[in-house]
Amino acid sequence: MNTIRYILQKEFRQIFRNKTMLPMIFGVPLLQMLVLVFAATFDMKKIDMVVVDKDLSETSREMIAKFDAIPFYNLEFAVPDETIGEEMLLSDEADAILVIPPNMERNLIRDDKAQVQLLVNAIDGNSAQLIYSYSSRVIGNFNKNLIAEWRGIPEFSPPGEVKISESYWYNPELDYHWFMAPGILAVLVTVIGMFMSGMNLVREKEIGTIEQLNVTPVKKYQFIIGKLVPFWLIALFDLAFGLLIAWLVFDLPIVGNLLVLFAFASVFLLGALGLGLFISTVSDTQQQVMFISFFFMMIFIMMGGIFTPVESMPHWAQTIDRVNPMYYFMKIMRNVVLKGSGFIDLLEEFLSLLLLGVIFLSLAIWRYRKTT
């Protein structure tokens, strides 16, 4: 134990002697939480819509006014022809075009039906679906009110209508920040754990101090523990700091037990740190560690479910995700923080993280060659 204690003292002195370390410990979580949680969102903030009104009737103006009354619809552009609108769609000046054909009001009065055209920029399929859904709802409500007004009834209510009472569990306000904040924290903890542990060991190689350690009677497992524990504690501190920022800035409700969350985080970090140390044992320079770690990080983050649910991925991708520690930790973060899940609810994820942690740490200890 004394050997490990001396190695830990040396590592902590080395870490806090580094002038860039303290800004990274405090600055990285602060910046990631304040920038990424606000920026990384699928919420529609603004829809630039071009209006082509060929009817120029009272009814068409009322329909346009319905869109104009909604804050995130921007109806600055009104053009006489849809070809101009299509050019604006091509140049990304507009997200959608609303085409009101000639004689729309007359057709409504005479035939009780009329058509309008909605053209949507669908390069981003998710945004296109949202624009179509919002716009269809606006036109549908306008149509219902028009029927009620023309037929002289106070409110149009189809017979046998099924009324749906909506209730959103665990995120009742559908606040996207609440969804993203735990995911960003999972990424933050992984970056701190994997990058810093890997960079620290390979830096010893670059400056030559690893040779001095190799000639000492320090055993491999003692050396690995000495390298692992400081960054394990720093990553847990950053997790606590990030949770505090999320609670203060985004009013994130932490429904679950914090002890359970930190217990899972501790096990997850064994795998992240173990992988970082393993990468450092197969690398000779900090650049190599950066490239290899970045490769794994991209796969872990994109397949971990931070933006899209893993259940929507192809079956083969879900199978690969079984060896992705980020997949389990992302699920744990959101379930504990937002749903209040307990240890038993996430027992499978805990055992999977424990197994991955043992594998990665074993690989790091096995690969580290202590030569004289």
Side-chain angles (χ1 to χ4, degrees), residues 9-47:
Q9 285 179 356
K10 172 252 181 195
E11 289 298 327
F12 275 114
R13 282 179 185 167
Q14 189 172 325
I15 289 170
F16 291 111
R17 195 180 295 157
N18 190 336
K19 292 180 180 177
T20 62
M21 193 58 72
L22 284 179
M24 285 187 69
I25 293 172
F26 291 100
V28 168
L30 190 64
L31 282 175
Q32 285 203 346
M33 291 303 294
L34 293 182
V35 175
L36 295 183
V37 175
F38 276 118
T41 174
F42 287 138
D43 286 347
M44 292 297 299
K45 304 291 185 186
K46 183 183 175 188
I47 299 173

mmCIF file of all heavy atoms in Angstrom, residues 9-47:
data_model
loop_
_atom_site.group_PDB
_atom_site.id
_atom_site.type_symbol
_atom_site.label_atom_id
_atom_site.label_comp_id
_atom_site.label_asym_id
_atom_site.label_seq_id
_atom_site.Cartn_x
_atom_site.Cartn_y
_atom_site.Cartn_z
ATOM 1 N N GLN A 9 0.923 10.184 -4.577
ATOM 2 C CA GLN A 9 1.445 11.513 -4.206
ATOM 3 C C GLN A 9 2.194 12.135 -5.381
ATOM 4 O O GLN A 9 2.028 13.311 -5.703
ATOM 5 C CB GLN A 9 2.383 11.377 -3.004
ATOM 6 C CG GLN A 9 1.660 11.150 -1.690
ATOM 7 C CD GLN A 9 2.646 11.006 -0.526
ATOM 8 O OE1 GLN A 9 3.865 11.003 -0.716
ATOM 9 N NE2 GLN A 9 2.107 10.879 0.676
ATOM 10 N N LYS A 10 3.004 11.303 -6.022
ATOM 11 C CA LYS A 10 3.790 11.797 -7.173
ATOM 12 C C LYS A 10 2.862 12.228 -8.316
ATOM 13 O O LYS A 10 3.059 13.279 -8.949
ATOM 14 C CB LYS A 10 4.743 10.680 -7.613
ATOM 15 C CG LYS A 10 5.494 10.941 -8.897
ATOM 16 C CD LYS A 10 4.949 10.074 -9.998
ATOM 17 C CE LYS A 10 5.684 10.290 -11.291
ATOM 18 N NZ LYS A 10 4.957 9.741 -12.426
ATOM 19 N N GLU A 11 1.810 11.434 -8.563
ATOM 20 C CA GLU A 11 0.900 11.761 -9.664
ATOM 21 C C GLU A 11 0.134 13.047 -9.382
ATOM 22 O O GLU A 11 -0.022 13.890 -10.276
ATOM 23 C CB GLU A 11 -0.086 10.595 -9.885
ATOM 24 C CG GLU A 11 0.530 9.358 -10.478
ATOM 25 C CD GLU A 11 1.114 9.606 -11.853
ATOM 26 O OE1 GLU A 11 0.557 10.434 -12.598
ATOM 27 O OE2 GLU A 11 2.161 9.008 -12.167
ATOM 28 N N PHE A 12 -0.380 13.205 -8.157
ATOM 29 C CA PHE A 12 -1.135 14.416 -7.826
ATOM 30 C C PHE A 12 -0.242 15.657 -7.919
ATOM 31 O O PHE A 12 -0.664 16.706 -8.408
ATOM 32 C CB PHE A 12 -1.767 14.306 -6.439
ATOM 33 C CG PHE A 12 -3.087 13.601 -6.444
ATOM 34 C CD1 PHE A 12 -3.246 12.370 -5.822
ATOM 35 C CD2 PHE A 12 -4.192 14.165 -7.082
ATOM 36 C CE1 PHE A 12 -4.467 11.715 -5.837
ATOM 37 C CE2 PHE A 12 -5.415 13.518 -7.095
ATOM 38 C CZ PHE A 12 -5.554 12.290 -6.474
ATOM 39 N N ARG A 13 1.006 15.531 -7.447
ATOM 40 C CA ARG A 13 1.928 16.670 -7.549
ATOM 41 C C ARG A 13 2.186 17.018 -9.015
ATOM 42 O O ARG A 13 2.209 18.178 -9.412
ATOM 43 C CB ARG A 13 3.255 16.331 -6.862
ATOM 44 C CG ARG A 13 3.174 16.428 -5.348
ATOM 45 C CD ARG A 13 4.477 16.073 -4.713
ATOM 46 N NE ARG A 13 4.389 16.040 -3.260
ATOM 47 C CZ ARG A 13 5.305 15.518 -2.474
ATOM 48 N NH1 ARG A 13 6.388 14.971 -2.989
ATOM 49 N NH2 ARG A 13 5.156 15.532 -1.175
ATOM 50 N N GLN A 14 2.357 15.955 -9.817
ATOM 51 C CA GLN A 14 2.627 16.170 -11.243
ATOM 52 C C GLN A 14 1.432 16.795 -11.947
ATOM 53 O O GLN A 14 1.580 17.677 -12.800
ATOM 54 C CB GLN A 14 2.972 14.823 -11.882
ATOM 55 C CG GLN A 14 3.487 14.932 -13.294
ATOM 56 C CD GLN A 14 3.988 13.590 -13.789
ATOM 57 O OE1 GLN A 14 4.549 12.794 -13.024
ATOM 58 N NE2 GLN A 14 3.794 13.329 -15.059
ATOM 59 N N ILE A 15 0.219 16.374 -11.575
ATOM 60 C CA ILE A 15 -0.996 16.898 -12.213
ATOM 61 C C ILE A 15 -1.190 18.370 -11.872
ATOM 62 O O ILE A 15 -1.404 19.207 -12.746
ATOM 63 C CB ILE A 15 -2.222 16.078 -11.762
ATOM 64 C CG1 ILE A 15 -2.194 14.675 -12.398
ATOM 65 C CG2 ILE A 15 -3.523 16.803 -12.137
ATOM 66 C CD1 ILE A 15 -3.218 13.728 -11.837
ATOM 67 N N PHE A 16 -1.094 18.701 -10.581
ATOM 68 C CA PHE A 16 -1.384 20.078 -10.176
ATOM 69 C C PHE A 16 -0.210 21.026 -10.431
ATOM 70 O O PHE A 16 -0.370 22.230 -10.335
ATOM 71 C CB PHE A 16 -1.803 20.114 -8.700
ATOM 72 C CG PHE A 16 -3.143 19.472 -8.479
ATOM 73 C CD1 PHE A 16 -3.262 18.272 -7.781
ATOM 74 C CD2 PHE A 16 -4.294 20.040 -9.005
ATOM 75 C CE1 PHE A 16 -4.501 17.672 -7.595
ATOM 76 C CE2 PHE A 16 -5.530 19.448 -8.822
ATOM 77 C CZ PHE A 16 -5.633 18.260 -8.119
ATOM 78 N N ARG A 17 0.952 20.450 -10.763
ATOM 79 C CA ARG A 17 2.063 21.298 -11.167
ATOM 80 C C ARG A 17 1.877 21.762 -12.614
ATOM 81 O O ARG A 17 2.424 22.763 -13.030
ATOM 82 C CB ARG A 17 3.378 20.500 -11.036
ATOM 83 C CG ARG A 17 4.624 21.352 -11.065
ATOM 84 C CD ARG A 17 5.852 20.473 -10.931
ATOM 85 N NE ARG A 17 5.906 19.812 -9.639
ATOM 86 C CZ ARG A 17 6.570 18.697 -9.403
ATOM 87 N NH1 ARG A 17 7.197 18.087 -10.375
ATOM 88 N NH2 ARG A 17 6.594 18.167 -8.193
ATOM 89 N N ASN A 18 1.094 20.994 -13.340
ATOM 90 C CA ASN A 18 0.822 21.341 -14.734
ATOM 91 C C ASN A 18 -0.160 22.520 -14.784
ATOM 92 O O ASN A 18 -1.295 22.421 -14.298
ATOM 93 C CB ASN A 18 0.213 20.115 -15.445
ATOM 94 C CG ASN A 18 0.122 20.316 -16.943
ATOM 95 O OD1 ASN A 18 0.082 21.443 -17.420
ATOM 96 N ND2 ASN A 18 0.096 19.225 -17.664
ATOM 97 N N LYS A 19 0.246 23.635 -15.390
ATOM 98 C CA LYS A 19 -0.566 24.846 -15.366
ATOM 99 C C LYS A 19 -1.839 24.721 -16.197
ATOM 100 O O LYS A 19 -2.786 25.477 -15.997
ATOM 101 C CB LYS A 19 0.262 26.040 -15.867
ATOM 102 C CG LYS A 19 1.389 26.422 -14.934
ATOM 103 C CD LYS A 19 2.178 27.601 -15.476
ATOM 104 C CE LYS A 19 3.311 27.962 -14.514
ATOM 105 N NZ LYS A 19 4.141 29.066 -15.038
ATOM 106 N N THR A 20 -1.853 23.805 -17.133
ATOM 107 C CA THR A 20 -3.062 23.654 -17.968
ATOM 108 C C THR A 20 -4.087 22.723 -17.338
ATOM 109 O O THR A 20 -5.218 22.639 -17.812
ATOM 110 C CB THR A 20 -2.698 23.106 -19.355
ATOM 111 O OG1 THR A 20 -2.109 21.820 -19.196
ATOM 112 C CG2 THR A 20 -1.751 24.042 -20.072
ATOM 113 N N MET A 21 -3.702 22.014 -16.277
ATOM 114 C CA MET A 21 -4.602 21.005 -15.724
ATOM 115 C C MET A 21 -5.797 21.616 -14.987
ATOM 116 O O MET A 21 -6.948 21.210 -15.188
ATOM 117 C CB MET A 21 -3.821 20.079 -14.783
ATOM 118 C CG MET A 21 -4.585 18.827 -14.399
ATOM 119 S SD MET A 21 -5.072 17.855 -15.817
ATOM 120 C CE MET A 21 -3.497 17.188 -16.332
ATOM 121 N N LEU A 22 -5.530 22.597 -14.133
ATOM 122 C CA LEU A 22 -6.648 23.199 -13.368
ATOM 123 C C LEU A 22 -7.681 23.862 -14.273
ATOM 124 O O LEU A 22 -8.897 23.656 -14.070
ATOM 125 C CB LEU A 22 -6.096 24.191 -12.348
ATOM 126 C CG LEU A 22 -5.462 23.560 -11.107
ATOM 127 C CD1 LEU A 22 -4.930 24.642 -10.173
ATOM 128 C CD2 LEU A 22 -6.450 22.681 -10.363
ATOM 129 N N PRO A 23 -7.270 24.643 -15.284
ATOM 130 C CA PRO A 23 -8.291 25.170 -16.198
ATOM 131 C C PRO A 23 -9.092 24.074 -16.890
ATOM 132 O O PRO A 23 -10.283 24.233 -17.150
ATOM 133 C CB PRO A 23 -7.480 25.978 -17.217
ATOM 134 C CG PRO A 23 -6.238 26.359 -16.493
ATOM 135 C CD PRO A 23 -5.943 25.214 -15.581
ATOM 136 N N MET A 24 -8.439 22.944 -17.175
ATOM 137 C CA MET A 24 -9.172 21.850 -17.829
ATOM 138 C C MET A 24 -10.178 21.225 -16.874
ATOM 139 O O MET A 24 -11.299 20.882 -17.258
ATOM 140 C CB MET A 24 -8.190 20.786 -18.328
ATOM 141 C CG MET A 24 -7.430 21.197 -19.584
ATOM 142 S SD MET A 24 -6.456 19.858 -20.243
ATOM 143 C CE MET A 24 -7.731 18.754 -20.826
ATOM 144 N N ILE A 25 -9.783 21.068 -15.616
ATOM 145 C CA ILE A 25 -10.682 20.425 -14.646
ATOM 146 C C ILE A 25 -11.933 21.268 -14.425
ATOM 147 O O ILE A 25 -13.051 20.738 -14.360
ATOM 148 C CB ILE A 25 -9.940 20.188 -13.314
ATOM 149 C CG1 ILE A 25 -8.830 19.154 -13.523
ATOM 150 C CG2 ILE A 25 -10.907 19.725 -12.232
ATOM 151 C CD1 ILE A 25 -7.918 18.989 -12.319
ATOM 152 N N PHE A 26 -11.762 22.596 -14.329
ATOM 153 C CA PHE A 26 -12.910 23.460 -14.053
ATOM 154 C C PHE A 26 -13.515 24.058 -15.331
ATOM 155 O O PHE A 26 -14.716 24.258 -15.410
ATOM 156 C CB PHE A 26 -12.496 24.599 -13.105
ATOM 157 C CG PHE A 26 -12.178 24.131 -11.721
ATOM 158 C CD1 PHE A 26 -10.867 23.952 -11.323
ATOM 159 C CD2 PHE A 26 -13.185 23.834 -10.820
ATOM 160 C CE1 PHE A 26 -10.561 23.501 -10.044
ATOM 161 C CE2 PHE A 26 -12.900 23.393 -9.544
ATOM 162 C CZ PHE A 26 -11.575 23.218 -9.153
ATOM 163 N N GLY A 27 -12.658 24.347 -16.314
ATOM 164 C CA GLY A 27 -13.151 25.039 -17.507
ATOM 165 C C GLY A 27 -13.888 24.138 -18.465
ATOM 166 O O GLY A 27 -14.914 24.537 -19.035
ATOM 167 N N VAL A 28 -13.406 22.899 -18.651
ATOM 168 C CA VAL A 28 -14.034 21.999 -19.628
ATOM 169 C C VAL A 28 -15.488 21.700 -19.269
ATOM 170 O O VAL A 28 -16.380 21.840 -20.117
ATOM 171 C CB VAL A 28 -13.204 20.705 -19.777
ATOM 172 C CG1 VAL A 28 -13.978 19.652 -20.553
ATOM 173 C CG2 VAL A 28 -11.894 21.008 -20.485
ATOM 174 N N PRO A 29 -15.785 21.295 -18.028
ATOM 175 C CA PRO A 29 -17.209 21.034 -17.723
ATOM 176 C C PRO A 29 -18.075 22.271 -17.848
ATOM 177 O O PRO A 29 -19.223 22.194 -18.306
ATOM 178 C CB PRO A 29 -17.179 20.501 -16.284
ATOM 179 C CG PRO A 29 -15.857 20.854 -15.739
ATOM 180 C CD PRO A 29 -14.928 20.963 -16.888
ATOM 181 N N LEU A 30 -17.524 23.420 -17.442
ATOM 182 C CA LEU A 30 -18.318 24.655 -17.515
ATOM 183 C C LEU A 30 -18.644 25.003 -18.965
ATOM 184 O O LEU A 30 -19.804 25.281 -19.307
ATOM 185 C CB LEU A 30 -17.523 25.794 -16.859
ATOM 186 C CG LEU A 30 -18.284 27.096 -16.635
ATOM 187 C CD1 LEU A 30 -19.417 26.887 -15.654
ATOM 188 C CD2 LEU A 30 -17.339 28.179 -16.124
ATOM 189 N N LEU A 31 -17.622 24.947 -19.828
ATOM 190 C CA LEU A 31 -17.849 25.297 -21.234
ATOM 191 C C LEU A 31 -18.751 24.283 -21.925
ATOM 192 O O LEU A 31 -19.663 24.653 -22.673
ATOM 193 C CB LEU A 31 -16.507 25.372 -21.970
ATOM 194 C CG LEU A 31 -15.695 26.647 -21.747
ATOM 195 C CD1 LEU A 31 -14.347 26.549 -22.428
ATOM 196 C CD2 LEU A 31 -16.465 27.843 -22.305
ATOM 197 N N GLN A 32 -18.486 22.993 -21.687
ATOM 198 C CA GLN A 32 -19.294 21.964 -22.357
ATOM 199 C C GLN A 32 -20.758 22.065 -21.948
ATOM 200 O O GLN A 32 -21.647 21.942 -22.791
ATOM 201 C CB GLN A 32 -18.754 20.572 -22.027
ATOM 202 C CG GLN A 32 -17.482 20.241 -22.776
ATOM 203 C CD GLN A 32 -17.265 18.747 -22.892
ATOM 204 O OE1 GLN A 32 -17.914 17.960 -22.208
ATOM 205 N NE2 GLN A 32 -16.338 18.347 -23.727
ATOM 206 N N MET A 33 -21.012 22.294 -20.684
ATOM 207 C CA MET A 33 -22.400 22.352 -20.233
ATOM 208 C C MET A 33 -23.104 23.594 -20.759
ATOM 209 O O MET A 33 -24.254 23.534 -21.185
ATOM 210 C CB MET A 33 -22.466 22.333 -18.698
ATOM 211 C CG MET A 33 -22.069 21.016 -18.077
ATOM 212 S SD MET A 33 -23.058 19.633 -18.655
ATOM 213 C CE MET A 33 -24.645 20.063 -17.987
ATOM 214 N N LEU A 34 -22.408 24.735 -20.738
ATOM 215 C CA LEU A 34 -23.068 25.981 -21.128
ATOM 216 C C LEU A 34 -23.199 26.116 -22.641
ATOM 217 O O LEU A 34 -24.163 26.694 -23.130
ATOM 218 C CB LEU A 34 -22.295 27.183 -20.563
ATOM 219 C CG LEU A 34 -22.307 27.308 -19.035
ATOM 220 C CD1 LEU A 34 -21.557 28.554 -18.598
ATOM 221 C CD2 LEU A 34 -23.733 27.357 -18.497
ATOM 222 N N VAL A 35 -22.217 25.581 -23.376
ATOM 223 C CA VAL A 35 -22.250 25.740 -24.835
ATOM 224 C C VAL A 35 -23.020 24.606 -25.500
ATOM 225 O O VAL A 35 -23.963 24.837 -26.255
ATOM 226 C CB VAL A 35 -20.808 25.818 -25.397
ATOM 227 C CG1 VAL A 35 -20.840 25.861 -26.921
ATOM 228 C CG2 VAL A 35 -20.102 27.052 -24.858
ATOM 229 N N LEU A 36 -22.621 23.362 -25.208
ATOM 230 C CA LEU A 36 -23.196 22.234 -25.945
ATOM 231 C C LEU A 36 -24.663 21.997 -25.616
ATOM 232 O O LEU A 36 -25.454 21.667 -26.498
ATOM 233 C CB LEU A 36 -22.379 20.964 -25.663
ATOM 234 C CG LEU A 36 -20.938 20.986 -26.165
ATOM 235 C CD1 LEU A 36 -20.257 19.665 -25.903
ATOM 236 C CD2 LEU A 36 -20.911 21.283 -27.669
ATOM 237 N N VAL A 37 -25.036 22.141 -24.364
ATOM 238 C CA VAL A 37 -26.440 21.865 -24.002
ATOM 239 C C VAL A 37 -27.367 22.880 -24.669
ATOM 240 O O VAL A 37 -28.481 22.543 -25.091
ATOM 241 C CB VAL A 37 -26.625 21.877 -22.474
ATOM 242 C CG1 VAL A 37 -28.090 21.708 -22.106
ATOM 243 C CG2 VAL A 37 -25.806 20.766 -21.840
ATOM 244 N N PHE A 38 -26.895 24.128 -24.785
ATOM 245 C CA PHE A 38 -27.710 25.136 -25.477
ATOM 246 C C PHE A 38 -27.685 24.916 -26.986
ATOM 247 O O PHE A 38 -28.693 25.082 -27.666
ATOM 248 C CB PHE A 38 -27.188 26.543 -25.160
ATOM 249 C CG PHE A 38 -27.712 27.097 -23.872
ATOM 250 C CD1 PHE A 38 -26.853 27.410 -22.834
ATOM 251 C CD2 PHE A 38 -29.072 27.310 -23.682
ATOM 252 C CE1 PHE A 38 -27.330 27.924 -21.636
ATOM 253 C CE2 PHE A 38 -29.552 27.823 -22.483
ATOM 254 C CZ PHE A 38 -28.685 28.135 -21.467
ATOM 255 N N ALA A 39 -26.498 24.558 -27.513
ATOM 256 C CA ALA A 39 -26.343 24.516 -28.973
ATOM 257 C C ALA A 39 -26.873 23.226 -29.582
ATOM 258 O O ALA A 39 -27.498 23.253 -30.646
ATOM 259 C CB ALA A 39 -24.867 24.687 -29.333
ATOM 260 N N ALA A 40 -26.621 22.082 -28.934
ATOM 261 C CA ALA A 40 -27.014 20.791 -29.504
ATOM 262 C C ALA A 40 -28.483 20.517 -29.206
ATOM 263 O O ALA A 40 -28.839 19.948 -28.184
ATOM 264 C CB ALA A 40 -26.134 19.678 -28.920
ATOM 265 N N THR A 41 -29.342 20.951 -30.116
ATOM 266 C CA THR A 41 -30.774 20.761 -29.908
ATOM 267 C C THR A 41 -31.463 20.505 -31.235
ATOM 268 O O THR A 41 -31.040 21.006 -32.279
ATOM 269 C CB THR A 41 -31.404 21.995 -29.233
ATOM 270 O OG1 THR A 41 -32.818 21.827 -29.183
ATOM 271 C CG2 THR A 41 -31.078 23.261 -29.997
ATOM 272 N N PHE A 42 -32.504 19.682 -31.211
ATOM 273 C CA PHE A 42 -33.317 19.431 -32.395
ATOM 274 C C PHE A 42 -34.594 20.263 -32.378
ATOM 275 O O PHE A 42 -35.445 20.117 -33.240
ATOM 276 C CB PHE A 42 -33.679 17.946 -32.487
ATOM 277 C CG PHE A 42 -32.525 17.077 -32.887
ATOM 278 C CD1 PHE A 42 -32.290 15.859 -32.268
ATOM 279 C CD2 PHE A 42 -31.672 17.477 -33.899
ATOM 280 C CE1 PHE A 42 -31.226 15.062 -32.647
ATOM 281 C CE2 PHE A 42 -30.600 16.688 -34.286
ATOM 282 C CZ PHE A 42 -30.384 15.479 -33.652
ATOM 283 N N ASP A 43 -34.746 21.119 -31.372
ATOM 284 C CA ASP A 43 -35.936 21.967 -31.312
ATOM 285 C C ASP A 43 -35.933 22.951 -32.472
ATOM 286 O O ASP A 43 -34.892 23.501 -32.831
ATOM 287 C CB ASP A 43 -35.968 22.750 -29.993
ATOM 288 C CG ASP A 43 -36.334 21.860 -28.827
ATOM 289 O OD1 ASP A 43 -36.794 20.737 -29.078
ATOM 290 O OD2 ASP A 43 -36.143 22.294 -27.672
ATOM 291 N N MET A 44 -37.098 23.207 -33.041
ATOM 292 C CA MET A 44 -37.222 24.196 -34.114
ATOM 293 C C MET A 44 -37.352 25.572 -33.485
ATOM 294 O O MET A 44 -38.310 25.848 -32.762
ATOM 295 C CB MET A 44 -38.436 23.896 -34.981
ATOM 296 C CG MET A 44 -38.347 22.628 -35.807
ATOM 297 S SD MET A 44 -37.024 22.642 -37.033
ATOM 298 C CE MET A 44 -37.513 24.012 -38.037
ATOM 299 N N LYS A 45 -36.374 26.435 -33.735
ATOM 300 C CA LYS A 45 -36.413 27.791 -33.190
ATOM 301 C C LYS A 45 -36.980 28.786 -34.190
ATOM 302 O O LYS A 45 -37.530 29.817 -33.808
ATOM 303 C CB LYS A 45 -35.001 28.238 -32.800
ATOM 304 C CG LYS A 45 -34.304 27.310 -31.815
ATOM 305 C CD LYS A 45 -34.936 27.342 -30.456
ATOM 306 C CE LYS A 45 -34.139 26.488 -29.471
ATOM 307 N NZ LYS A 45 -34.798 26.367 -28.171
ATOM 308 N N LYS A 46 -36.814 28.478 -35.489
ATOM 309 C CA LYS A 46 -37.228 29.434 -36.509
ATOM 310 C C LYS A 46 -37.497 28.690 -37.814
ATOM 311 O O LYS A 46 -36.715 27.815 -38.198
ATOM 312 C CB LYS A 46 -36.121 30.480 -36.701
ATOM 313 C CG LYS A 46 -36.456 31.573 -37.688
ATOM 314 C CD LYS A 46 -35.248 32.488 -37.844
ATOM 315 C CE LYS A 46 -35.478 33.533 -38.900
ATOM 316 N NZ LYS A 46 -34.246 34.294 -39.188
ATOM 317 N N ILE A 47 -38.606 29.035 -38.476
ATOM 318 C CA ILE A 47 -38.931 28.463 -39.778
ATOM 319 C C ILE A 47 -39.113 29.626 -40.754
ATOM 320 O O ILE A 47 -40.041 30.428 -40.611
ATOM 321 C CB ILE A 47 -40.217 27.614 -39.720
ATOM 322 C CG1 ILE A 47 -40.048 26.443 -38.749
ATOM 323 C CG2 ILE A 47 -40.587 27.099 -41.109
ATOM 324 C CD1 ILE A 47 -41.318 25.652 -38.505
#
